Amino acid sequence: MGSAHGQVDDQVAALTGALESLYAELDTRARTERFLHEVCGAAVTVLQGADMAGITALHGDGAHTRTATD
């Protein structure tokens, strides 16, 4: 079990690093949708076994998928 926990920690650390790199590249004019799509792409790259990723916003009246990988 310790091995699996260590693997998850490594994946979280890698995803955190990828998000920090993406954030550092943003300027004040960067579009939210582009950033969210880049986050999804980073998740697929970093998370072992992930084929696709998406970001869904939950609202009181339902859910709306903001972006997803192809």
Side-chain angles (χ1 to χ4, degrees):
M1 185 163 173
S3 175
H5 187 267
Q7 185 179 15
V8 169
D9 288 345
D10 291 344
Q11 289 177 339
V12 169
L15 185 56
T16 299
L19 291 173
E20 288 173 347
S21 294
L22 289 171
Y23 184 76
E25 292 180 23
L26 290 177
D27 61 24
T28 57
R29 297 182 189 160
R31 297 181 59 193
T32 301
E33 297 301 318
R34 178 178 167 259
F35 176 71
L36 294 176
H37 191 76
E38 293 289 334
V39 168
C40 289
V44 171
T45 299
V46 170
L47 299 175
Q48 182 179 356
D51 295 322
M52 299 182 302
I55 297 175
T56 300
L58 301 177
H59 302 282
D61 60 344
H64 172 71
T65 299
R66 298 286 307 262
T67 191
T69 58
D70 299 328

